[in-house]
Amino acid sequence: MPLVSAKEAASNSHVSYEKPSQPFECPRPLPASPTLRRFTVVPRLPLALERLRELAHNLFWVWTPVARELLVRIDPNLFEEVHGNPIELLSRVKQARLDELAQDDAFLSHLDAAHAALRTYLTTKSWFERSFPQAHGARIAYFSMEYGLHESLPIYSGGLGVLAGDHLKTASDLGLPLVGVGLAYAEGYFRQTLNEDGWQGERYPRNDWHKLPVLAVDGQDGKRLIIDVQYPDRVVHAQIWRVQVGRVPLYLLDTNIEQNSPVDRSITGPLYGGDKEFRIRQEIMLGIGGVHALEAMGISPTVCHMNEGHSAFLALERIGRVMRERGATFEVASEATSAGNVFTTHTPVPAGNDVFDRELARKYLEPYRAALGIGEDQLLDLGRARSSDRHAPFSMPIFAIRTADRCNAVSELHGHVARKMWKELWPDLPEHEVPIQSVTNGVHVPSWVSAEMSALFTRYLGPRWAEQTDDAALWARAHEIPDAELWQVHEHRRHRLVTLARRWLGNDDVLDPRALTIGFARRFATYKRADLLLTDVERVKRLLGNVDRPVQLVFAGKAHPQDKGGKELIRSIVHASRQAGLRGRVVFLEDYEMRIARAMVSGVDVWLNTPRRPHEASGTSGMKAAANGALNVSVLDGWWAEAWAAHGSQVGWPVGRGEEYEDDAGDRIEAELLYDVLEREVVPLFFERDRASGLPRAWIARMKASIAKLVPAFNTARMVKEYTQRTYAPAIARAAGLAERDGLMRVEELVAWKERVRAGWPSVAVVDVDVAQTAAEVRVGEFVEVEARVRLGELRPEDVVVELYFGPTMGSHELLKGSLARMRVAGVNADGTHTFVGGIPTHESGSHAFAARVMPWNVAMSHPYETSLVRWA
């Protein structure tokens, strides 16, 4: 390693260092384990370029062309070499180049424009300020295990992290008072390598946090802020880094510090590494440590959003703080804090959710149980579906659901799946009433649209398109883009993808820049069926081998290090790519990350997605491709089921019609359907050219429709606004009310009411139901008058709601999805029962049915299903 003198270092850089406690004497042999004195070298920027430092430390540049192009301009080759990391770029660029730029009027003018764009962005009054002035002073804390903001910050693995990154970017765009919380991984997710046989290997390069676009968080004393987190037999310490994402700060906890043992330093080592015990240590640091960190920085979140169940332990810390600070009981503190907790589930299969066996959960939660003053089973029951099952594992999603007032899935179809999966928590409710709503995912469009497409949108949609990604009227103007210009931009991007793929593969003989290019890139889990298109290799060879209508396939993706099935899928594709007839037409791009993702979603003609329905919770890669004009070919799962239902063949093609199969026979059926749609529809349409212009007019029309209809619906501006209106704002209002002086008094009253209701519930019954009509048939438009006699025992009419659950049976013997009509109390009977009356409207003919039910009701509850108590007639 080359050494420089102190004089040379000082001439090139600013140097900050920790002064050693004893003078360093030479010559003297170093001890076996020397005490290291650390210092950080930062670039010496000419005064004229000082504003670069602010731009480099705010990821605003990631989605803002004028800022990103400025950084590229410093040294394009070096920018590519450092994966777009602006801090490493500035630390490695030659001092002569910086001095040259400081004298370059054109560069300084560009710097003025980029810095002005950042200042304007940060100071303009935001959508949130205009829309929710009553929420002034509220803070939303968003917790996620991973964040995909840019490839230069490798703390993500895939879709969950990229969604979290897009959520933060959009929260910044909209001005939400939001902070992110995560972990600062020393290694992050693995880097993928493939051996000669195509088998995936993993590398874990270390992250140097002093070379990343982050800032150290100091305490009021000017020293690094260190927090302490309690583990079963020790305290673990963590320092904090801040990533500035536009207006939004992301705080990352880092245990890789000298105060910790090697075992504890590894807590923030790899992302998704290790065994169950390693995972629970990470999740305690994320959830409990995250709340500690916020409070240590003076941030008291009004609302905590758990992005998946990894961070659910934050509920324990929030409960404990209310108990300590306000003298509340566990029950009252639980009620008060749940008002400000939001939980998003992303996993549509139980096996994909984090669970810990009883003994492991007991061991790590014991310090918190003792502090909360509750019994072991009372705590563990919060993570079990049934309290009677003492041997059930502790489920993080169940714990999150039980400690959050608002829960949501990430697409309409996933909402159905999630309600079915967690119905056992509300055993007496019809499945569709299980209180898990859905907020369909989206993408941060400015981050994923190519530079060329961005310029095209600016030209024809107007300069503010990036601020109005959910404006359907604005995106309808995509139809006005001239066919020739749209096609020219798209062909340029396909050519760019081919050029990059050749460079990454080190092979100039692969791919054809004129061929119909189909892309498939995502996590290689077996249910995603990456090899479905290769089921019949001979048929694929015929499809790809037509000289007049060339087709090619580009694959990319990583399998989890422990997923042998996923690794087998990768190997099978690599082997297929070497076969005669497929060689050069099928490629696998190694080490999939955000840079490759951007190249693929902007460069392919068709985006392919073939999961086993309904295992794809949402999916967002197809949304990114659509924003760039690519057309989707996908199984009707996740978001695509909604897109196809709304717009049909205007925006792409389905594989099947939403069938669900329970065995491998479905794979064969859907492979056949996939071949059929490609051979009969997709390929012919792509190569159907206008004789005069040579343009594929019908294909371009679908590209425009895909942009016009899908972008305004499937973007994070719409998504975050929906979260704000449906979850954040109500949670802020309710949590703010509970924070008032008499807020806990109201919570105590609600807790006492729930205890009284639960105690009296065994006596509640619907004794009798009577229909006023004597005729068996009712005419459409008439009301069916119903009278119910209800025994309430010790409860009062105002403690309950009595409802009629009704609807058409569709020829079935069951009422699978009914509507509700509330009944009103009409009087008290001699036997102490109460009479309730109500009416059922009739809007359509056919067979109908109804049932009466009683549920607890209190205006202070966030929703009527909080108690899980229902009594049916």
Side-chain angles (χ1 to χ4, degrees):
M1 183 175 183
L3 298 176
V4 296
S5 68
K7 181 178 180 181
E8 290 171 323
S11 69
N12 289 292
S13 310
H14 297 304
V15 181
S16 61
Y17 63 96
E18 300 173 13
K19 186 177 180 180
S21 56
Q22 298 292 332
F24 186 79
E25 299 177 1
C26 278
R28 185 177 72 180
L30 287 174
S33 299
T35 299
L36 299 178
R37 274 71 170 177
R38 304 181 185 280
F39 61 91
T40 302
V41 181
V42 294
R44 179 177 62 80
L45 290 176
L47 185 61
L49 303 184
E50 267 298 322
R51 288 169 297 170
L52 277 174
R53 207 181 302 278
E54 182 183 1
L55 285 167
H57 277 102
N58 193 318
L59 295 192
F60 168 78
W61 64 266
V62 169
W63 68 92
T64 308
V66 67
R68 183 173 61 250
E69 290 160 5
L70 176 77
L71 296 172
V72 173
R73 188 171 178 173
I74 293 171
D75 188 328
N77 293 330
L78 182 57
F79 185 86
E80 182 77 11
E81 184 181 332
V82 299
H83 296 270
N85 179 352
I87 305 304
E88 191 168 0
L89 172 74
L90 292 176
S91 69
R92 290 178 54 183
V93 68
K94 294 183 181 301
Q95 189 66 44
R97 175 59 176 162
L98 292 174
D99 293 338
E100 176 189 337
L101 292 173
Q103 304 298 319
D104 186 334
D105 288 346
F107 183 85
L108 293 177
S109 176
H110 192 166
L111 175 57
D112 288 342
H115 190 262
L118 175 60
R119 291 286 98 206
T120 299
Y121 178 87
L122 295 177
T123 56
T124 300
K125 190 171 184 178
S126 69
W127 170 84
F128 185 87
E129 291 175 298
R130 296 192 304 270
S131 304
F132 298 93
Q134 71 278 14
H136 179 73
R139 297 301 291 268
I140 303 161
Y142 182 92
F143 288 71
S144 183
M145 197 75 164
E146 52 173 304
Y147 290 90
L149 292 158
H150 187 260
E151 60 270 21
S152 64
L153 192 60
I155 55 171
Y156 65 94
S157 71
L160 178 73
V162 172
L163 174 78
D166 282 6
H167 194 114
L168 263 56
K169 294 172 186 176
T170 307
S172 170
D173 291 343
L174 298 176
L176 269 67
L178 184 143
V179 300
V181 180
L183 299 180
Y185 299 104
E187 298 171 353
Y189 206 52
F190 69 90
R191 305 303 299 266
Q192 181 189 57
T193 58
L194 301 181
N195 66 16
E196 285 298 316
D197 190 40
W199 189 256
Q200 174 184 288
E202 296 87 28
R203 294 185 299 109
Y204 292 89
R206 305 282 290 184
N207 289 327
D208 183 346
W209 284 88
H210 296 281
K211 291 184 178 180
L212 295 175
V214 302
L215 295 166
V217 174
D218 294 333
Q220 293 182 349
D221 58 2
K223 299 178 181 178
R224 283 302 297 266
L225 182 62
I226 303 293
I227 63 160
D228 300 331
V229 180
Q230 184 67 54
Y231 281 72
D233 55 358
R234 65 196 185 281
V235 170
V236 178
H237 313 283
Q239 62 184 1
I240 308 165
W241 300 94
R242 175 167 62 87
V243 183
Q244 196 62 38
V245 187
R247 295 181 174 101
V248 168
L250 165 61
Y251 296 105
L252 303 173
L253 279 65
D254 179 7
T255 66
N256 186 26
I257 56 179
E258 292 177 352
Q259 293 96 317
N260 290 327
S261 69
V263 170
D264 292 337
R265 291 178 197 173
S266 72
I267 290 173
T268 56
L271 170 60
Y272 301 139
D275 57 13
K276 289 285 188 179
E277 187 161 9
F278 178 82
R279 179 65 70 90
I280 199 171
R281 289 202 299 263
Q282 276 195 329
E283 296 186 0
I284 285 173
M285 182 56 63
L286 174 62
I288 295 174
V291 176
H292 271 310
L294 293 176
E295 296 287 349
M297 292 182 290
I299 301 170
S300 294
T302 318
V303 174
C304 287
H305 185 168
M306 298 172 270
N307 188 43
E308 251 315 344
H310 309 122
S311 60
F313 290 135
L314 68 83
L316 294 179
E317 180 60 23
R318 299 195 84 195
I319 291 168
R321 285 181 180 271
V322 172
M323 292 176 68
R324 293 191 299 271
E325 295 169 5
R326 304 185 68 178
T329 65
F330 175 80
E331 289 74 18
V332 169
S334 297
E335 192 75 45
T337 55
S338 68
N341 288 344
V342 175
F343 170 54
T344 297
T345 175
H346 293 262
T347 310
V349 289
N353 290 284
D354 272 354
V355 295
F356 302 112
D357 68 57
R358 174 192 169 93
E359 285 306 307
L360 188 63
R362 186 198 59 74
K363 171 184 173 182
Y364 277 89
L365 298 184
E366 175 58 24
Y368 299 97
R369 183 208 64 76
L372 295 172
I374 59 175
E376 184 177 289
D377 284 325
Q378 185 179 359
L379 176 57
L380 296 180
D381 280 349
L382 291 172
R384 299 190 286 221
R386 294 181 300 277
S387 59
S388 59
D389 188 355
R390 292 293 187 238
H391 299 289
F394 186 92
S395 163
M396 294 298 282
I398 290 177
F399 181 64
I401 290 170
R402 291 202 192 280
T403 55
D405 272 6
R406 291 165 179 82
C407 306
N408 70 276
V410 291
S411 70
E412 288 183 9
L413 180 57
H414 182 224
H416 295 298
V417 173
R419 287 187 286 273
K420 182 177 182 180
M421 183 161 43
W422 304 118
K423 184 185 182 306
E424 62 181 333
L425 302 181
W426 293 272
D428 295 322
L429 280 182
E431 188 176 293
H432 71 94
E433 284 193 273
V434 169
I436 299 176
Q437 58 182 336
S438 62
V439 178
T440 301
N441 284 345
V443 298
H444 185 251
V445 178
S447 291
W448 294 101
V449 168
S450 70
E452 296 83 357
M453 192 66 80
S454 174
L456 197 65
F457 289 161
T458 299
R459 194 152 60 245
Y460 290 101
L461 276 61
R464 301 181 68 84
W465 67 266
E467 302 168 23
Q468 299 170 301
T469 54
D470 59 338
D471 185 338
L474 180 144
W475 288 95
R477 295 171 64 183
H479 291 289
E480 301 171 13
I481 301 174
D483 287 1
E485 286 192 56
L486 179 59
W487 191 245
Q488 182 182 28
V489 165
H490 182 64
E491 289 218 297
H492 174 76
R493 292 307 305 169
R494 189 191 321 114
H495 196 286
R496 169 75 172 161
L497 172 61
V498 169
T499 301
L500 289 172
R502 288 173 175 175
R503 190 173 81 205
W504 291 332
L505 293 166
N507 185 346
D508 288 336
D509 295 327
V510 300
L511 302 180
D512 178 351
R514 299 170 297 112
L516 167 62
T517 304
I518 300 173
F520 182 103
R522 52 188 41 85
R523 181 167 59 90
F524 267 61
T526 51
Y527 78 85
K528 293 178 183 283
R529 300 188 299 185
D531 61 345
L532 189 68
L533 185 53
L534 300 174
T535 301
D536 186 338
V537 174
E538 294 306 314
R539 195 167 178 180
V540 174
K541 289 179 179 178
R542 292 195 298 272
L543 177 68
L544 273 58
N546 188 321
V547 177
D548 298 323
R549 301 194 305 188
V551 179
Q552 58 197 11
L553 309 176
V554 181
F555 290 92
K558 296 177 178 178
H560 188 280
Q562 298 172 7
D563 183 1
K564 291 184 179 179
K567 291 184 176 184
E568 287 288 357
L569 284 175
I570 292 173
R571 181 162 62 179
S572 70
I573 291 170
V574 172
H575 284 193
S577 72
R578 296 169 180 171
Q579 291 190 31
L582 297 180
R583 191 178 299 113
R585 298 187 179 111
V586 177
V587 299
F588 186 94
L589 302 180
E590 188 176 318
D591 202 23
Y592 183 53
E593 37 82 51
M594 292 178 76
R595 177 177 54 162
I596 294 176
R598 285 196 304 274
M600 288 186 65
V601 297
S602 65
V604 300
D605 302 291
V606 169
W607 194 257
L608 181 64
N609 192 23
T610 52
R612 286 193 185 95
R613 177 181 162 121
H615 291 162
E616 183 89 293
S618 175
T620 55
S621 57
M623 303 175 191
K624 298 161 191 165
N628 284 283
L631 301 181
N632 278 269
V633 174
S634 176
V635 170
L636 290 174
D637 202 3
W639 80 281
W640 184 242
E642 294 173 46
W644 177 258
H647 306 296
S649 60
Q650 299 176 76
V651 295
W653 293 268
V655 177
R657 288 295 183 269
E659 301 87 353
E660 296 178 13
Y661 303 94
E662 296 183 359
D663 54 31
D664 293 343
D667 294 356
R668 294 190 294 273
I669 293 170
E670 291 189 326
E672 182 66 29
L673 292 170
L674 176 58
Y675 292 134
D676 191 64
V677 74
L678 291 174
E679 293 166 348
R680 294 176 179 268
E681 299 185 50
V682 178
V683 175
L685 189 71
F686 182 83
F687 288 102
E688 182 184 299
R689 304 298 166 104
D690 177 76
R691 289 187 177 181
S693 64
L695 296 173
R697 299 281 188 186
W699 186 275
I700 294 171
R702 290 203 190 199
M703 290 175 65
K704 292 180 181 180
S706 181
I707 294 168
K709 296 181 183 300
L710 299 185
V711 172
F714 299 99
N715 64 81
T716 43
R718 184 272 312 156
M719 181 192 83
V720 173
K721 285 180 179 179
E722 202 171 335
Y723 271 114
T724 304
Q725 292 157 350
R726 293 171 57 187
T727 62
Y728 295 160
I732 287 170
R734 188 160 187 254
L738 299 179
E740 295 171 359
R741 179 183 296 181
D742 62 344
L744 279 192
M745 185 183 302
R746 296 197 298 274
V747 177
E748 289 168 355
E749 292 171 353
L750 179 59
V751 170
W753 175 84
K754 286 185 177 181
E755 291 175 352
R756 180 169 62 83
V757 166
R758 289 193 176 98
W761 198 249
S763 300
V764 174
V766 180
V767 178
D768 187 42
V769 178
D770 188 39
V771 179
Q773 280 83 348
T774 57
E777 295 183 345
V778 179
R779 296 180 184 276
V780 171
E782 294 179 347
F783 271 81
V784 177
E785 301 295 336
V786 180
E787 189 175 278
R789 191 158 56 91
V790 180
R791 184 174 65 243
L792 296 177
E794 297 298 317
L795 302 185
R796 300 184 294 266
E798 56 266 31
D799 292 327
V800 300
V801 59
V802 181
E803 297 171 320
L804 295 169
Y805 181 81
F806 66 92
T809 57
M810 306 295 186
S812 170
H813 293 290
E814 297 180 359
L815 179 54
L816 298 178
K817 188 173 183 180
S819 300
L820 294 172
R822 182 169 291 195
M823 305 180 78
R824 66 185 185 279
V825 65
V828 183
N829 304 310
D831 61 357
T833 61
H834 288 76
T835 296
F836 288 79
V837 296
I840 299 172
T842 57
H843 301 295
E844 57 182 292
S845 59
S847 175
H848 290 65
F850 78 91
R853 73 183 187 189
V854 188
M855 296 177 65
W857 171 245
N858 189 304
V859 70
M861 294 196 303
S862 61
H863 59 75
Y865 312 111
E866 278 189 26
T867 64
S868 299
L869 299 174
V870 184
R871 185 76 76 218
W872 292 89

